[in-house]
Structure formats: structure tokens, C-alpha cells
Amino acid sequence: MFFVTNNSTKSRAGYKKKFDSLGLNVPAEEIFSSSFAAAAYLEQTKFKDTGKKAYVIGEIGILEELDLIGVPYLGGPEDAGKVPPMGPGDKLDYDKDVGAVIVGFDRNINYHKIQYAQLCINENEGCEFIATNTDAVTHLTDAQEWAGNGSM
């Protein structure tokens, strides 16, 4: 049996911990999350060998999976609350060594993250855009639909 989810907020280890807390003995090898899929793609394409970094819009699940394959990254929860400079003549500096932007569900999305990601994608030659899912909407509450990862 396999467990598959397009929720990138947890890594396989995170989901294993959740299953363990429910009394379910599920090996990590039987858990396929979109955070794992994004990391597996980078591993299969030998992204690490390029010496490039990944910029992450997303949560800890993506970061934990990137750690497991040794891909350096920036962004993620560390960029929560950041505000880009938006005065006359201001611009946001970005890392020219970002070779992939990974977007997953992010409860702390902000304009800094969006601008940083688009600069990397549009200005860094060959920078890949990897979405962990294309859901237009998600159901964070039972009261309404919310913008999903696919809205990016």
C-alpha cells in the first residue's frame, strides 16, 4: 500500500510521524508527497551537480526533502514577513545562482517571495519553475474555498 498526497507542507518523515501518532506503521518508503516528488525530480536531473541553489516558496516539508538530497536552498519559512523595498528607484536583489524555484503551499506567502521567485525565473538563465501541485483552490476551512498552489 502507498500513501500519496500533493500536500507539500510535510516531508516523508513528517508524514511518517503523523502516521505513527495515529498508530499506523507506515514505512517512509511508502509515502509519496509532492515535496518528495520535487526533490526526486531535482535528484534525477542531477541538479546538485550544477552547483545551483533552489529558491523555495513553501514550508518545512520541501526543505527537509532538499536536505536529504543535499541541494542548497534559500527562502521558505525564513522569508516569512519580509517586505520588498518599493520606493522610487528601489529594487530587490536576488541570488544569481538560483537554478530552480519550487512553489508549494505556503501559509506565509508575501510579495517579497513572489517577486524574488519571478526575478530568479525570468533573470537567471535556465532557472526551472517547479510547482508541487496545480490545485486552483484548496479547502483550508469548511466555510469557503481558498486560493490553492495552482494560483501561483
Side-chain angles (χ1 to χ4, degrees), residues 22-53:
L22 297 170
L24 300 171
N25 184 19
V26 178
E29 298 78 27
E30 294 179 4
I31 302 167
F32 291 87
S33 67
S34 58
S35 53
F36 169 66
Y41 169 78
L42 291 179
E43 187 171 43
Q44 288 175 352
T45 59
K46 303 200 182 311
F47 180 81
K48 183 179 173 184
D49 296 346
T50 69
K52 299 282 186 181
K53 303 170 195 164

Side-chain angles (χ1 to χ4, degrees), residues 105 135-149:
F105 186 71
D135 292 348
V137 296
T138 188
H139 298 91
L140 300 176
T141 69
D142 62 356
Q144 63 188 166
E145 291 182 330
W146 294 73
N149 195 60

